[in-house]
Amino acid sequence: MAQFLALFFDRIRQPRVIAEIIGGIILGPSIMGRIPNFKNSIFPDASIPGLTLTSTIGLIIFLFLVGLEIDTKVIKRNIISATSISVAGLILPLGLGAAVGVGIYKEFIDPAVNFGYFLLFTAVAVGITAFPVLCRILTSLNLLDTTVGVVTLAAGVGNDVVGWVLLALTVALVNASTGLTALYVLLACVGYVIFLLYPGRWAYVWLARWTGSLEQGSPTNGMMTMTLIIVFVSAFFTDIIGVHAIFGGFVAGLIIPHENGYAISIVERLEDLVSIIFIPIYFTLSGLRTNLGLMDNGKTWGYTFIICVVSFFSKFVACYGAAYFTGFKWRESGAIGALMSCKGLVELIVLNIGLQAGILDTRTFSMFVLHAVILTFITTPLTLLFYPEKYRVHVGDERDHSNEEGSGPRQSLNEETKTRFALILEKIEQLPAAMTITQLLQPGNMSHTSSSTLTPPETKSSTSPEKAAEGPSHVASLPVAINVLRLVELTNRASAVFKSQAVESLVYNDPVVSVFRTFGYLNRLRVSGALSVVEYNEFSSAISKHVSETDSQIVILPWARGTTIINEESGSTGPLNPFDGIFHKTTTHDQTSSVVYSELIRKVFLTSPSHVALFVDRGLSTPYNSSSSQHLFLPFFGGPDDRLALSFLVQLCRNPSVRATVVRIRKVDGIASTDTDDDAKKDDPLSTAAVAVPLHQTLAGADTIYHRDSTQTQLASVTADNVTWGRYTSPPDSRDSAALARITFSTISSPQPLHNIIDLVTQLFTQSSPAKNIIVVAGRSRKMAVESHASELQQLITARGASMSSMVPKTLGDVGAALVVSGATVSLLVLQAASSSS
């Protein structure tokens, strides 16, 4: 039920806890419980004790993870603002919560319940902030790297700790028979907390170091066993002294060290079990105790409304005021106030404890549950209303970037030599593809570069302001700068939220970034690293933002070749084509052969503010020998993408180990059918009924198609094609003479250019001696193309009996799609020019 509801609530950017609470309510007496014999059949009374025990165990582990999330260093960084907001966000809500509790007690509560205990409980229920939900909302809204997010997180930590202390006090008072007993309970609890946080933590850290767990960033089996023993023993102790067992689990989480990703590793081992099994059981039991049918009169709904108003405005006004008077603007203060008012699972835990202790009855319990759902639901839209993207101030925006590694004079997209690249890495399997393409970027004439200008991979550049101000005399003397963006998918998993909070340290410890930094250092490439933890559908936005911030001229998207398979019949091995899954040749489930990943690439093509280069790695086709070289092949038709491809190929040929063949192809009449540019269906022949092929319905953004440009635009493009071609085929004496000497230019005319391209590539691969690794460089040509090759591509697919998804030519262009269909064992470098340079 919760999984199903989450599909809907995720789309409206609501935290998962909303779906879980509502799912529990649906299964309870409020809705499905009204079906005759539903409860007795699905949740018989005999099953409740077992479910309660199971959910309590899960709740203990969950509170352990909550305690583990708390990092006191966050408070220390923003001590004044965080303390002011946290204190203000407790005093006013606690006071107004107790005040509203007076009216609720008189109207709904049995006089046998202690009046003081009830007021204390309602004060805690109104004043507490759901820290786990707060973390997830900040992460999903990309606020963790903003000043608002950092301060709210710090204030939430203090608020959460004080809230749990007050809850422990309430439970101790309720369970104690006399005041003296309550004092003993509180003293025992305080003594245990001090014991666990100091000698207990020291012993745990020493044991983690002794076993090597802290050094490797992951607990050994023995260390994990010891951790769970500590959690359950702590819960047992706090339970027997009269405080709820979950408090012991929470305190145990506070002793876990956060160094070297150790805490993240523990969360990864426990979170699935808790979030998939234990927590849904707890929400189910909570839903069974919630009966909205008892809210059957105006007085009940009136008090529910009062609870919502008091709970929200007491938090909002207090936190807004504290934030505003500590220097925040009104929008930032409003966002802080809205965020601090969220409730969620922590509120539900408090309410269930109150129900079990007899402080609440079923009606008041349902009233408070409904208020928790409403306040949690409005948190996200209110935050977006007060603090939209254009008003956000990110931490470090005001810092000086002049001394950062990879910084330097900004180059226009129209500069012939590209020196600033953004390399996108999502997983370690992409490193071979990334290394293959980036090692070609270093020209041979950089050998004179002093090693003192190279930045070690472990640290940022320490270039002095004087040297940065001097600047190079020519763009060609600039070292190539590669700005790596490591993308980590943000999910509902707690470990992903942890990673999003530790981005600053992860970027230095991430193995993917570290390996490529070292590779760049060895190849004299200036490499800087950044890490972004965002939802998968936000990857393209994160890439565009990274490109703009680094002023990169080309985005490089490496597409890994996938795993290697063994043909058991022939005993041969070979790399997987990333599109093999589309052609149903293999059963691989690698992400690079998925429709989803292709759609991400298309979104980057669609939204990138700079040029884009997609490198489809087919693996190294020849073994290494001393005379091995990299050979590039470019079929040049014309248009902005092909012009960019030609310019970039010449730049790559400045590397002495690179040779190239460039063929200018003119399409002539000679085939029966031709395309009309204004026919939308013929623009994409793979979607017509002419070829019976299985199609995937893609969900990516609008596709760039062949447009009917004006005569003026077409003439300007043809002129630019001729100028570009003439500059490289008949060049004056220039600095590119050595590079051009390694390029063979030719011109052909053909009625079937795609067939000719396949034949030329095959010939180049089979007749080369010694064998060469071949990369076909091609323009994507999905916009402002000279001509469409859609009909020929359709004929090619039909002739080879292939089944193709419509997304292949949409992603790679017609030339790239034709080479994939042909099965040519060459890698592809597909380029698309930025719109501003077209």
Side-chain angles (χ1 to χ4, degrees), residues 127-189:
I128 201 166
T129 296
F131 180 71
V133 178
L134 177 63
C135 289
R136 281 149 185 79
I137 292 176
L138 288 172
T139 305
S140 65
L141 298 182
N142 298 321
L143 290 174
L144 281 176
D145 63 338
T146 64
T147 52
V148 166
V150 171
V151 171
T152 304
L153 194 67
V157 169
N159 203 297
D160 197 52
V161 171
V162 174
W164 285 110
V165 170
L166 292 175
L167 180 62
L169 172 63
T170 305
V171 174
L173 291 173
V174 170
N175 292 335
S177 57
T178 63
L180 186 60
T181 304
L183 179 62
Y184 286 150
V185 170
L186 292 177
L187 290 176
C189 186

Side-chain angles (χ1 to χ4, degrees), residues 635-643 664-668 675-677 683 705-710 713-722 753 779-790 814-815:
F636 183 85
F637 291 94
D641 294 352
D642 279 17
R643 293 195 294 270
R664 186 172 190 180
I665 304 176
R666 291 187 172 92
K667 185 178 180 180
V668 296
D675 298 312
T676 56
D677 292 341
D683 280 341
I705 62 173
Y706 298 105
H707 295 289
R708 176 181 288 279
D709 301 304
S710 64
T713 304
Q714 291 176 344
L715 289 174
S717 182
V718 171
T719 302
D721 294 340
N722 293 330
R780 184 169 179 249
S781 297
R782 295 295 294 174
K783 57 183 178 181
M784 291 183 66
V786 174
E787 61 225 343
S788 171
H789 309 289
D814 289 342
V815 174

Side-chain angles (χ1 to χ4, degrees), residues 345-518:
L345 178 56
V346 173
E347 174 78 4
L348 212 62
I349 293 171
V350 173
L351 297 177
N352 275 278
I353 292 175
L355 183 63
Q356 294 171 358
I359 297 176
L360 297 178
D361 58 16
T362 304
R363 177 179 298 189
T364 52
F365 176 81
S366 302
M367 292 162 59
F368 275 99
V369 168
L370 186 60
H371 124 273
V373 172
I374 293 173
L375 263 62
T376 306
F377 188 88
I378 66 175
T379 299
T380 297
L382 280 178
T383 303
L384 292 174
L385 177 65
F386 278 108
Y387 204 46
E389 177 67 35
K390 62 180 179 180
Y391 294 107
R392 294 179 185 178
V393 178
H394 295 270
V395 176
D397 276 0
E398 68 282 358
R399 68 180 185 273
D400 181 13
H401 294 269
S402 62
N403 292 333
E404 287 190 8
E405 183 178 353
S407 63
R410 294 182 174 238
Q411 304 300 328
S412 167
L413 290 176
N414 294 320
E415 288 287 347
E416 182 180 350
T417 300
K418 307 298 188 290
T419 59
R420 301 178 68 85
F421 299 87
L423 176 64
I424 312 303
L425 296 174
E426 183 188 354
K427 53 186 179 179
I428 200 167
E429 288 83 359
Q430 293 174 322
L431 281 175
M435 293 176 180
T436 300
I437 186 63
T438 54
Q439 61 90 21
L440 301 177
L441 298 176
Q442 186 62 65
N445 61 8
M446 290 299 296
S447 59
H448 65 274
T449 303
S450 172
S451 61
S452 63
T453 64
L454 300 177
T455 305
E458 296 85 1
T459 60
K460 290 283 185 183
S461 172
S462 57
T463 306
S464 64
E466 292 79 14
K467 290 185 178 181
E470 290 174 4
S473 60
H474 197 278
V475 94
S477 65
L478 280 174
V480 173
I482 299 180
N483 302 290
V484 177
L485 175 62
R486 169 79 157 100
L487 293 173
V488 177
E489 183 180 2
L490 174 65
T491 63
N492 287 320
R493 299 165 64 95
S495 57
V497 178
F498 257 96
K499 290 177 182 177
S500 65
Q501 298 175 31
V503 166
E504 293 183 1
S505 61
L506 283 177
V507 72
Y508 293 102
N509 300 319
D510 182 76
V512 176
V513 178
S514 298
V515 168
F516 193 83
R517 271 205 185 106
T518 302

Side-chain angles (χ1 to χ4, degrees), residues 557-591:
L557 298 172
W559 199 339
R561 67 187 180 95
T563 56
T564 300
I565 60 171
I566 298 177
N567 189 333
E568 295 182 358
E569 296 181 1
S570 61
S572 62
T573 63
L576 291 179
N577 181 339
F579 287 97
D580 280 350
I582 298 169
F583 293 126
H584 309 290
K585 294 180 179 178
T586 68
T587 56
T588 179
H589 296 288
D590 190 275
Q591 183 183 11

Side-chain angles (χ1 to χ4, degrees), residues 506-551:
L506 283 177
V507 72
Y508 293 102
N509 300 319
D510 182 76
V512 176
V513 178
S514 298
V515 168
F516 193 83
R517 271 205 185 106
T518 302
F519 169 82
Y521 175 67
L522 295 176
N523 287 272
R524 292 174 306 183
L525 300 171
R526 296 174 66 88
V527 177
S528 63
L531 188 143
S532 181
V533 183
V534 294
E535 296 178 354
Y536 191 84
N537 57 8
E538 297 291 334
F539 273 12
S540 58
S541 300
I543 293 171
S544 298
K545 178 182 176 183
H546 177 74
V547 170
S548 300
E549 290 177 347
T550 58
D551 194 36

